[in-house]
Each structure stands twice: as structure tokens, then as C-alpha cells.
Amino acid sequence: MKFTGTDAYVATEDLTVGVNAAITLERPLLVKGEPGTGKTELAHQVARALDMPLLEWHIKSTTKAQQGLYEYDAVSRLRDSQLGDERVNDVCNYIKKGKLWQAFEAPKRALLLIDEIDKADIEFPNDLLQELDKMEFNVYETGETIRATHRPVVIITSNNEKELPDAFLRRCFFHYIRFPEMETLRAIVKTHFPDIKDRLLTTALTQFYEIRDTQGLKKKPSTSEVLDWLKLLLADDLSPEDLAKDSKDALPKLHGALLKNEQDVALFERLAFLARGQR
């Protein structure tokens, strides 16, 4: 069972090593990187390549670790008891299985994605330590122990918004997805737009990296944003000359796909003004 990338996902050598090492060690793979660098998509492509069912647990600021195991609806049970509903005699009717439970009882080895774990409370990762380590948990309302039939592959993503506890990090295999270099990004683009002309792609990517390298930029455009930008360029049938024309005097063509806040737009407007003043 080895992951080598797919026809829709260009995986660098160090990324494939990280994925396969985590699978071999039977440890969660903790993936960090800039937003838009393909962390979530990695889980989709690993599941596809290894023919695994994918279970996605998208974390929010209000998410609790217990929700990944199960939730007991005591309010509904109380209401049904007041109405004389016979369902109250079986507590299982009021237990909702979480994503970990579903992964544990999957008929074949599954891939569990815990997406953007850093959005949750700081105690959230610690609350999952034993369950991810031992691959079992107790259901206190029924007295049963749920154990993984097949140990799932676990991929955890983080945008680095907050530090994760050391005890949690110790149990993970870590990989940081660096922003791709020009040739890797070119290969990524080709998987999405195989018919794009080389001259247009070279011109667009050169301009894109110049934008990313601009000093003072508040939010650097990501891989997903350059793909959106190129899709617009192709839809408008723009040429390399259209991109290069007046490049020192104006914002990038269709800049709304790349610049996502007013501070960065204002930065490029100031740079354009300074460029005109130097002529």
C-alpha cells in the first residue's frame, strides 16, 4: 500500500514519503501549510489512490472532541419518555455515531480526515489522544467498548493558526507542504488545464511569483488562487501580451482572483503610482 500521487494531484517526493511513513507507522499524518496548498485535497487523493472510503470531519471553533466519537441526545429521550414513546427503552436510539466511530466500524480500512484541527479549542487535540492512539473508546450510556475493526489511516490538517500540544504532536508524523517551486506548480497547472499554451503559462506564472514575492503583501496568493486566475485568463482568451501590457502601470489582470483584501490592492496601486513617477 504505497501512495505515489494521482493523475489529478502532483505529489512531491517528500510528501509521498510522509504519507507512506505515516501509513507504515500507523500514526496520524499531521499536514501543515499555507491555506490553499492542497492539504484537504491530499486526503481525497490518498483515499482515491489507495481505494479507501473517505470520512471527513471538518472542525469548527465550536467542535468538541466528543462529537467525533458519538453524541447522546438526552433531550430527545426525555421528550419521548413524556410522550410514552417505546423508543426510550433502547438508549441506542438516541446515540449518533461520530466520524471516528464510523471509521472504526467501516467494513474495510478507511481514511479519516480531521480537517483544520487548529480551529478548535486548544484542548481538542488532547481530548483525542487516547482514541487515536489505542483506536478504541467507551460508550458510557451502553457500557460497550468500540474498537477499530480496521485501523483507519488518519490525516489531520492545520493552517497553523494556533500551536498544538506537544503530547499530540508526539503521536503524529508531521509534514509541512511548502509552496511549490515553478516547475512543480507548472505540473500542477497542467493536471487541471492540460491544453494551456506554454507561453501563456510561463508568463502567468512569472507574474504570479512576482506578486507573491512583493514586499508588504498581507496575504500571498495560494495554489488554489492561481488556478482560479488561470481559469479566468483562459475563459477570457487572454494572450501573454495581454498580461505583459502595462504591467508596471496597473493591477494584475483579473486581480480579484489573486488579491483578497483592500490593503494588498492599495499596495499595488501605490507601486503603480511610484512606477509612473519614475518614468
Side-chain angles (χ1 to χ4, degrees):
M1 185 180 289
K2 293 287 185 182
F3 175 69
T4 58
T6 69
D7 56 357
Y9 191 91
V10 177
T12 58
E13 182 179 355
D14 60 337
L15 178 56
T16 58
V17 167
V19 171
N20 292 319
I23 293 173
T24 300
L25 292 172
E26 296 187 329
R27 297 278 191 183
L29 174 64
L30 174 61
V31 184
K32 290 187 178 183
E34 294 179 29
T37 50
K39 300 184 296 296
T40 302
E41 183 61 21
L42 172 66
H44 286 259
Q45 296 301 325
V46 171
R48 175 188 166 198
L50 302 183
D51 191 27
M52 293 179 172
L54 175 65
L55 295 164
E56 301 180 67
W57 187 15
H58 298 287
I59 307 304
K60 301 178 182 179
S61 59
T62 55
T63 303
K64 302 299 181 186
Q66 179 64 32
Q67 293 171 300
L69 308 180
Y70 68 93
E71 293 181 88
Y72 170 54
D73 191 350
V75 174
S76 292
R77 192 181 190 195
L78 175 61
R79 183 188 64 239
D80 288 348
S81 68
Q82 293 169 339
L83 296 173
D85 194 324
E86 293 185 358
R87 296 175 71 248
V88 299
N89 296 321
D90 187 354
V91 68
C92 294
N93 291 325
Y94 303 93
I95 291 178
K96 179 183 178 182
K97 297 177 181 179
K99 296 297 183 181
L100 266 77
W101 190 334
Q102 295 173 40
F104 284 4
E105 70 174 10
K108 59 183 290 189
R109 194 177 193 188
L111 191 151
L112 173 64
L113 167 64
I114 304 177
D115 200 26
E116 298 189 333
I117 195 172
D118 53 324
K119 281 186 176 180
D121 183 83
I122 188 62
E123 291 303 319
F124 179 92
N126 281 336
D127 290 342
L128 289 176
L129 287 180
Q130 180 170 326
E131 289 77 11
L132 290 177
D133 203 18
K134 295 188 175 180
M135 287 289 159
E136 66 177 40
F137 63 89
N138 295 318
V139 182
Y140 298 105
E141 290 76 11
T142 64
E144 62 182 321
T145 298
I146 305 300
R147 295 184 177 88
T149 306
H150 306 282
R151 189 180 187 98
V153 173
V154 180
I155 294 181
I156 302 171
T157 71
S158 169
N159 288 326
N160 235 0
E161 292 182 6
K162 63 168 67 83
E163 290 296 322
L164 299 174
D166 288 346
F168 178 79
L169 295 175
R170 184 174 63 81
R171 289 166 168 82
C172 298
F173 188 92
F174 172 75
H175 181 79
Y176 184 85
I177 297 182
R178 295 180 177 83
F179 194 82
E181 297 178 354
M182 174 80 81
E183 287 308 309
T184 303
L185 186 55
R186 181 186 290 272
I188 292 171
V189 170
K190 284 285 190 178
T191 66
H192 292 269
F193 309 110
D195 297 327
I196 191 170
K197 300 290 179 58
D198 285 337
R199 283 188 62 241
L200 175 62
L201 180 56
T202 299
T203 302
L205 290 185
T206 299
Q207 190 171 106
F208 171 73
Y209 277 100
E210 288 173 354
I211 293 169
R212 269 189 62 89
D213 292 340
T214 300
Q215 293 295 318
L217 203 62
K218 184 176 181 181
K219 183 197 176 301
K220 295 182 178 183
S222 67
T223 307
S224 63
E225 287 159 340
V226 74
L227 292 174
D228 287 344
W229 185 51
L230 288 167
K231 184 176 181 178
L232 292 174
L233 298 183
L234 291 170
D236 284 359
D237 197 24
L238 297 182
S239 68
E241 289 72 26
D242 292 324
L243 295 185
K245 185 175 61 176
D246 297 330
S247 59
K248 292 184 178 180
D249 300 322
L251 288 161
K253 296 285 186 183
L254 301 164
H255 65 271
L258 299 175
L259 305 176
K260 298 301 178 74
N261 58 67
E262 62 276 16
Q263 295 96 323
D264 288 344
V265 172
L267 171 63
F268 275 85
E269 288 174 339
R270 289 196 300 273
L271 292 173
F273 176 79
L274 292 173
R276 288 195 298 270
Q278 291 174 359
R279 288 193 166 191

PDB file of all heavy atoms in Angstrom, residues 10 15 18-19 26 41 71-72 113 118 132 140 142 145 165 172 175-176 192 194 200 223 243 251 253 274-275:
ATOM      1  N   VAL A  10      -0.425  16.335  -8.073  1.00  0.00           N
ATOM      2  CA  VAL A  10       1.028  16.223  -8.181  1.00  0.00           C
ATOM      3  C   VAL A  10       1.607  16.226  -6.775  1.00  0.00           C
ATOM      4  O   VAL A  10       1.573  17.233  -6.066  1.00  0.00           O
ATOM      5  CB  VAL A  10       1.610  17.391  -8.997  1.00  0.00           C
ATOM      6  CG1 VAL A  10       3.136  17.298  -9.039  1.00  0.00           C
ATOM      7  CG2 VAL A  10       1.034  17.406 -10.409  1.00  0.00           C
ATOM      8  N   LEU A  15       6.480  14.620   0.082  1.00  0.00           N
ATOM      9  CA  LEU A  15       5.098  14.430   0.518  1.00  0.00           C
ATOM     10  C   LEU A  15       4.696  12.960   0.451  1.00  0.00           C
ATOM     11  O   LEU A  15       4.079  12.434   1.385  1.00  0.00           O
ATOM     12  CB  LEU A  15       4.156  15.276  -0.335  1.00  0.00           C
ATOM     13  CG  LEU A  15       2.657  15.142  -0.037  1.00  0.00           C
ATOM     14  CD1 LEU A  15       2.365  15.452   1.432  1.00  0.00           C
ATOM     15  CD2 LEU A  15       1.844  16.055  -0.947  1.00  0.00           C
ATOM     16  N   GLY A  18       6.185  11.184   3.309  1.00  0.00           N
ATOM     17  CA  GLY A  18       5.458  11.468   4.534  1.00  0.00           C
ATOM     18  C   GLY A  18       4.183  10.652   4.656  1.00  0.00           C
ATOM     19  O   GLY A  18       3.887  10.083   5.719  1.00  0.00           O
ATOM     20  N   VAL A  19       3.410  10.591   3.575  1.00  0.00           N
ATOM     21  CA  VAL A  19       2.156   9.824   3.587  1.00  0.00           C
ATOM     22  C   VAL A  19       2.438   8.357   3.861  1.00  0.00           C
ATOM     23  O   VAL A  19       1.808   7.728   4.727  1.00  0.00           O
ATOM     24  CB  VAL A  19       1.403   9.989   2.246  1.00  0.00           C
ATOM     25  CG1 VAL A  19       0.225   9.017   2.166  1.00  0.00           C
ATOM     26  CG2 VAL A  19       0.920  11.425   2.073  1.00  0.00           C
ATOM     27  N   GLU A  26       1.478   3.623  11.300  1.00  0.00           N
ATOM     28  CA  GLU A  26       0.103   3.644  11.822  1.00  0.00           C
ATOM     29  C   GLU A  26      -0.071   4.809  12.778  1.00  0.00           C
ATOM     30  O   GLU A  26      -0.676   4.702  13.856  1.00  0.00           O
ATOM     31  CB  GLU A  26      -0.250   2.320  12.499  1.00  0.00           C
ATOM     32  CG  GLU A  26      -0.247   1.142  11.527  1.00  0.00           C
ATOM     33  CD  GLU A  26      -0.757  -0.144  12.150  1.00  0.00           C
ATOM     34  OE1 GLU A  26      -0.572  -0.327  13.380  1.00  0.00           O
ATOM     35  OE2 GLU A  26      -1.343  -0.952  11.424  1.00  0.00           O
ATOM     36  N   GLU A  41      -7.233  18.396  -0.119  1.00  0.00           N
ATOM     37  CA  GLU A  41      -7.291  17.602  -1.351  1.00  0.00           C
ATOM     38  C   GLU A  41      -6.372  16.392  -1.266  1.00  0.00           C
ATOM     39  O   GLU A  41      -6.659  15.348  -1.870  1.00  0.00           O
ATOM     40  CB  GLU A  41      -6.899  18.477  -2.543  1.00  0.00           C
ATOM     41  CG  GLU A  41      -6.995  17.795  -3.895  1.00  0.00           C
ATOM     42  CD  GLU A  41      -8.402  17.336  -4.248  1.00  0.00           C
ATOM     43  OE1 GLU A  41      -9.368  17.862  -3.667  1.00  0.00           O
ATOM     44  OE2 GLU A  41      -8.531  16.443  -5.118  1.00  0.00           O
ATOM     45  N   GLU A  71     -22.613  11.311  19.979  1.00  0.00           N
ATOM     46  CA  GLU A  71     -23.401  12.281  20.721  1.00  0.00           C
ATOM     47  C   GLU A  71     -24.653  11.589  21.256  1.00  0.00           C
ATOM     48  O   GLU A  71     -25.319  10.847  20.529  1.00  0.00           O
ATOM     49  CB  GLU A  71     -23.794  13.458  19.834  1.00  0.00           C
ATOM     50  CG  GLU A  71     -22.613  14.313  19.394  1.00  0.00           C
ATOM     51  CD  GLU A  71     -23.031  15.497  18.538  1.00  0.00           C
ATOM     52  OE1 GLU A  71     -23.344  16.556  19.120  1.00  0.00           O
ATOM     53  OE2 GLU A  71     -23.060  15.349  17.300  1.00  0.00           O
ATOM     54  N   TYR A  72     -24.941  11.833  22.512  1.00  0.00           N
ATOM     55  CA  TYR A  72     -26.124  11.262  23.162  1.00  0.00           C
ATOM     56  C   TYR A  72     -27.174  12.355  23.291  1.00  0.00           C
ATOM     57  O   TYR A  72     -26.933  13.385  23.928  1.00  0.00           O
ATOM     58  CB  TYR A  72     -25.752  10.703  24.530  1.00  0.00           C
ATOM     59  CG  TYR A  72     -26.935  10.301  25.386  1.00  0.00           C
ATOM     60  CD1 TYR A  72     -27.901   9.413  24.901  1.00  0.00           C
ATOM     61  CD2 TYR A  72     -27.086  10.813  26.674  1.00  0.00           C
ATOM     62  CE1 TYR A  72     -28.988   9.044  25.685  1.00  0.00           C
ATOM     63  CE2 TYR A  72     -28.162  10.439  27.466  1.00  0.00           C
ATOM     64  CZ  TYR A  72     -29.109   9.562  26.958  1.00  0.00           C
ATOM     65  OH  TYR A  72     -30.187   9.206  27.739  1.00  0.00           O
ATOM     66  N   LEU A 113     -10.300  12.003   7.607  1.00  0.00           N
ATOM     67  CA  LEU A 113      -9.735  13.347   7.507  1.00  0.00           C
ATOM     68  C   LEU A 113     -10.285  14.193   8.649  1.00  0.00           C
ATOM     69  O   LEU A 113     -11.502  14.368   8.776  1.00  0.00           O
ATOM     70  CB  LEU A 113     -10.111  13.982   6.164  1.00  0.00           C
ATOM     71  CG  LEU A 113      -9.844  15.491   6.039  1.00  0.00           C
ATOM     72  CD1 LEU A 113      -8.354  15.796   6.136  1.00  0.00           C
ATOM     73  CD2 LEU A 113     -10.423  16.046   4.740  1.00  0.00           C
ATOM     74  N   ASP A 118      -6.745  23.102  13.991  1.00  0.00           N
ATOM     75  CA  ASP A 118      -6.357  24.291  14.752  1.00  0.00           C
ATOM     76  C   ASP A 118      -7.498  25.287  14.933  1.00  0.00           C
ATOM     77  O   ASP A 118      -7.335  26.285  15.641  1.00  0.00           O
ATOM     78  CB  ASP A 118      -5.160  24.978  14.085  1.00  0.00           C
ATOM     79  CG  ASP A 118      -5.388  25.264  12.614  1.00  0.00           C
ATOM     80  OD1 ASP A 118      -6.032  24.444  11.934  1.00  0.00           O
ATOM     81  OD2 ASP A 118      -4.920  26.301  12.124  1.00  0.00           O
ATOM     82  N   LEU A 132      -7.104   8.080  19.351  1.00  0.00           N
ATOM     83  CA  LEU A 132      -6.271   7.952  18.155  1.00  0.00           C
ATOM     84  C   LEU A 132      -5.095   7.006  18.395  1.00  0.00           C
ATOM     85  O   LEU A 132      -4.591   6.384  17.456  1.00  0.00           O
ATOM     86  CB  LEU A 132      -5.759   9.324  17.722  1.00  0.00           C
ATOM     87  CG  LEU A 132      -6.810  10.287  17.154  1.00  0.00           C
ATOM     88  CD1 LEU A 132      -6.186  11.647  16.838  1.00  0.00           C
ATOM     89  CD2 LEU A 132      -7.468   9.712  15.902  1.00  0.00           C
ATOM     90  N   TYR A 140     -20.377   5.265  27.330  1.00  0.00           N
ATOM     91  CA  TYR A 140     -20.760   5.131  28.732  1.00  0.00           C
ATOM     92  C   TYR A 140     -22.243   4.826  28.899  1.00  0.00           C
ATOM     93  O   TYR A 140     -22.639   4.138  29.848  1.00  0.00           O
ATOM     94  CB  TYR A 140     -20.389   6.409  29.486  1.00  0.00           C
ATOM     95  CG  TYR A 140     -18.889   6.666  29.463  1.00  0.00           C
ATOM     96  CD1 TYR A 140     -18.341   7.648  28.648  1.00  0.00           C
ATOM     97  CD2 TYR A 140     -18.020   5.896  30.233  1.00  0.00           C
ATOM     98  CE1 TYR A 140     -16.967   7.860  28.609  1.00  0.00           C
ATOM     99  CE2 TYR A 140     -16.644   6.104  30.210  1.00  0.00           C
ATOM    100  CZ  TYR A 140     -16.133   7.087  29.386  1.00  0.00           C
ATOM    101  OH  TYR A 140     -14.784   7.281  29.348  1.00  0.00           O
ATOM    102  N   THR A 142     -24.114   2.896  27.127  1.00  0.00           N
ATOM    103  CA  THR A 142     -24.436   1.491  26.857  1.00  0.00           C
ATOM    104  C   THR A 142     -23.445   0.528  27.498  1.00  0.00           C
ATOM    105  O   THR A 142     -23.701  -0.671  27.554  1.00  0.00           O
ATOM    106  CB  THR A 142     -24.446   1.233  25.335  1.00  0.00           C
ATOM    107  OG1 THR A 142     -23.123   1.442  24.815  1.00  0.00           O
ATOM    108  CG2 THR A 142     -25.427   2.172  24.631  1.00  0.00           C
ATOM    109  N   THR A 145     -17.527  -1.094  24.478  1.00  0.00           N
ATOM    110  CA  THR A 145     -16.266  -0.538  24.006  1.00  0.00           C
ATOM    111  C   THR A 145     -16.218  -0.687  22.490  1.00  0.00           C
ATOM    112  O   THR A 145     -16.387  -1.799  21.970  1.00  0.00           O
ATOM    113  CB  THR A 145     -15.067  -1.258  24.644  1.00  0.00           C
ATOM    114  OG1 THR A 145     -15.110  -1.077  26.056  1.00  0.00           O
ATOM    115  CG2 THR A 145     -13.757  -0.696  24.108  1.00  0.00           C
ATOM    116  N   PRO A 165      -0.659  20.882  21.086  1.00  0.00           N
ATOM    117  CA  PRO A 165       0.050  20.374  22.276  1.00  0.00           C
ATOM    118  C   PRO A 165       1.154  19.379  21.920  1.00  0.00           C
ATOM    119  O   PRO A 165       1.022  18.594  20.975  1.00  0.00           O
ATOM    120  CB  PRO A 165      -1.067  19.679  23.078  1.00  0.00           C
ATOM    121  CG  PRO A 165      -2.349  20.242  22.550  1.00  0.00           C
ATOM    122  CD  PRO A 165      -2.095  20.582  21.117  1.00  0.00           C
ATOM    123  N   CYS A 172       2.027  12.014  16.187  1.00  0.00           N
ATOM    124  CA  CYS A 172       1.786  12.222  14.755  1.00  0.00           C
ATOM    125  C   CYS A 172       3.080  12.125  13.956  1.00  0.00           C
ATOM    126  O   CYS A 172       4.173  12.336  14.489  1.00  0.00           O
ATOM    127  CB  CYS A 172       1.160  13.606  14.518  1.00  0.00           C
ATOM    128  SG  CYS A 172      -0.450  13.866  15.278  1.00  0.00           S
ATOM    129  N   HIS A 175       4.253  16.644   8.407  1.00  0.00           N
ATOM    130  CA  HIS A 175       4.754  17.098   7.113  1.00  0.00           C
ATOM    131  C   HIS A 175       4.240  18.509   6.843  1.00  0.00           C
ATOM    132  O   HIS A 175       3.055  18.797   7.023  1.00  0.00           O
ATOM    133  CB  HIS A 175       4.303  16.187   5.972  1.00  0.00           C
ATOM    134  CG  HIS A 175       4.837  16.631   4.637  1.00  0.00           C
ATOM    135  ND1 HIS A 175       6.131  16.372   4.235  1.00  0.00           N
ATOM    136  CD2 HIS A 175       4.273  17.354   3.638  1.00  0.00           C
ATOM    137  CE1 HIS A 175       6.332  16.904   3.042  1.00  0.00           C
ATOM    138  NE2 HIS A 175       5.223  17.510   2.657  1.00  0.00           N
ATOM    139  N   TYR A 176       5.160  19.371   6.426  1.00  0.00           N
ATOM    140  CA  TYR A 176       4.794  20.737   6.043  1.00  0.00           C
ATOM    141  C   TYR A 176       4.827  20.839   4.518  1.00  0.00           C
ATOM    142  O   TYR A 176       5.856  20.550   3.896  1.00  0.00           O
ATOM    143  CB  TYR A 176       5.761  21.760   6.650  1.00  0.00           C
ATOM    144  CG  TYR A 176       5.372  23.194   6.362  1.00  0.00           C
ATOM    145  CD1 TYR A 176       4.460  23.862   7.176  1.00  0.00           C
ATOM    146  CD2 TYR A 176       5.904  23.882   5.260  1.00  0.00           C
ATOM    147  CE1 TYR A 176       4.083  25.168   6.907  1.00  0.00           C
ATOM    148  CE2 TYR A 176       5.524  25.179   4.986  1.00  0.00           C
ATOM    149  CZ  TYR A 176       4.616  25.821   5.813  1.00  0.00           C
ATOM    150  OH  TYR A 176       4.238  27.112   5.534  1.00  0.00           O
ATOM    151  N   HIS A 192      -4.705  20.356 -14.331  1.00  0.00           N
ATOM    152  CA  HIS A 192      -6.020  20.992 -14.366  1.00  0.00           C
ATOM    153  C   HIS A 192      -6.350  21.578 -15.739  1.00  0.00           C
ATOM    154  O   HIS A 192      -7.510  21.568 -16.167  1.00  0.00           O
ATOM    155  CB  HIS A 192      -6.090  22.103 -13.315  1.00  0.00           C
ATOM    156  CG  HIS A 192      -6.063  21.604 -11.900  1.00  0.00           C
ATOM    157  ND1 HIS A 192      -7.195  21.296 -11.182  1.00  0.00           N
ATOM    158  CD2 HIS A 192      -5.016  21.339 -11.075  1.00  0.00           C
ATOM    159  CE1 HIS A 192      -6.862  20.875  -9.981  1.00  0.00           C
ATOM    160  NE2 HIS A 192      -5.544  20.894  -9.885  1.00  0.00           N
ATOM    161  N   PRO A 194      -4.721  20.917 -19.159  1.00  0.00           N
ATOM    162  CA  PRO A 194      -3.710  20.240 -19.990  1.00  0.00           C
ATOM    163  C   PRO A 194      -3.466  20.933 -21.331  1.00  0.00           C
ATOM    164  O   PRO A 194      -2.395  20.745 -21.922  1.00  0.00           O
ATOM    165  CB  PRO A 194      -4.297  18.837 -20.193  1.00  0.00           C
ATOM    166  CG  PRO A 194      -5.754  18.973 -19.900  1.00  0.00           C
ATOM    167  CD  PRO A 194      -5.873  20.042 -18.878  1.00  0.00           C
ATOM    168  N   LEU A 200       1.722  31.287 -22.486  1.00  0.00           N
ATOM    169  CA  LEU A 200       0.793  31.910 -21.542  1.00  0.00           C
ATOM    170  C   LEU A 200       1.073  31.440 -20.126  1.00  0.00           C
ATOM    171  O   LEU A 200       1.098  32.240 -19.184  1.00  0.00           O
ATOM    172  CB  LEU A 200      -0.656  31.583 -21.928  1.00  0.00           C
ATOM    173  CG  LEU A 200      -1.729  32.083 -20.954  1.00  0.00           C
ATOM    174  CD1 LEU A 200      -1.704  33.603 -20.864  1.00  0.00           C
ATOM    175  CD2 LEU A 200      -3.113  31.592 -21.364  1.00  0.00           C
ATOM    176  N   THR A 223      -1.946  28.269  -4.215  1.00  0.00           N
ATOM    177  CA  THR A 223      -2.094  27.404  -5.386  1.00  0.00           C
ATOM    178  C   THR A 223      -3.518  27.425  -5.921  1.00  0.00           C
ATOM    179  O   THR A 223      -3.741  27.528  -7.130  1.00  0.00           O
ATOM    180  CB  THR A 223      -1.709  25.958  -5.028  1.00  0.00           C
ATOM    181  OG1 THR A 223      -0.411  25.950  -4.430  1.00  0.00           O
ATOM    182  CG2 THR A 223      -1.700  25.070  -6.258  1.00  0.00           C
ATOM    183  N   LEU A 243      -1.164  40.046 -20.681  1.00  0.00           N
ATOM    184  CA  LEU A 243      -0.691  40.072 -19.303  1.00  0.00           C
ATOM    185  C   LEU A 243       0.474  41.028 -19.134  1.00  0.00           C
ATOM    186  O   LEU A 243       0.591  41.711 -18.116  1.00  0.00           O
ATOM    187  CB  LEU A 243      -0.257  38.669 -18.866  1.00  0.00           C
ATOM    188  CG  LEU A 243      -1.336  37.583 -18.790  1.00  0.00           C
ATOM    189  CD1 LEU A 243      -0.733  36.306 -18.235  1.00  0.00           C
ATOM    190  CD2 LEU A 243      -2.502  38.032 -17.947  1.00  0.00           C
ATOM    191  N   LEU A 251      -2.867  47.242 -11.835  1.00  0.00           N
ATOM    192  CA  LEU A 251      -3.014  45.991 -11.106  1.00  0.00           C
ATOM    193  C   LEU A 251      -2.948  44.822 -12.072  1.00  0.00           C
ATOM    194  O   LEU A 251      -3.218  44.981 -13.264  1.00  0.00           O
ATOM    195  CB  LEU A 251      -4.359  45.983 -10.382  1.00  0.00           C
ATOM    196  CG  LEU A 251      -4.476  46.912  -9.173  1.00  0.00           C
ATOM    197  CD1 LEU A 251      -5.944  47.155  -8.852  1.00  0.00           C
ATOM    198  CD2 LEU A 251      -3.767  46.310  -7.974  1.00  0.00           C
ATOM    199  N   LYS A 253      -4.025  41.703 -14.268  1.00  0.00           N
ATOM    200  CA  LYS A 253      -5.291  41.388 -14.904  1.00  0.00           C
ATOM    201  C   LYS A 253      -6.114  40.473 -14.005  1.00  0.00           C
ATOM    202  O   LYS A 253      -5.588  39.515 -13.443  1.00  0.00           O
ATOM    203  CB  LYS A 253      -5.056  40.683 -16.247  1.00  0.00           C
ATOM    204  CG  LYS A 253      -4.335  41.523 -17.296  1.00  0.00           C
ATOM    205  CD  LYS A 253      -5.246  42.569 -17.897  1.00  0.00           C
ATOM    206  CE  LYS A 253      -4.524  43.288 -19.049  1.00  0.00           C
ATOM    207  NZ  LYS A 253      -5.352  44.367 -19.617  1.00  0.00           N
ATOM    208  N   LEU A 274       4.189  54.838  -8.071  1.00  0.00           N
ATOM    209  CA  LEU A 274       5.639  55.081  -7.981  1.00  0.00           C
ATOM    210  C   LEU A 274       6.326  54.760  -9.301  1.00  0.00           C
ATOM    211  O   LEU A 274       7.259  55.453  -9.727  1.00  0.00           O
ATOM    212  CB  LEU A 274       6.242  54.255  -6.859  1.00  0.00           C
ATOM    213  CG  LEU A 274       5.824  54.644  -5.437  1.00  0.00           C
ATOM    214  CD1 LEU A 274       6.353  53.623  -4.424  1.00  0.00           C
ATOM    215  CD2 LEU A 274       6.341  56.036  -5.097  1.00  0.00           C
ATOM    216  N   ALA A 275       5.861  53.684  -9.972  1.00  0.00           N
ATOM    217  CA  ALA A 275       6.461  53.307 -11.268  1.00  0.00           C
ATOM    218  C   ALA A 275       6.230  54.392 -12.304  1.00  0.00           C
ATOM    219  O   ALA A 275       7.123  54.708 -13.090  1.00  0.00           O
ATOM    220  CB  ALA A 275       5.879  51.978 -11.728  1.00  0.00           C
TER     221      ALA A 275
END
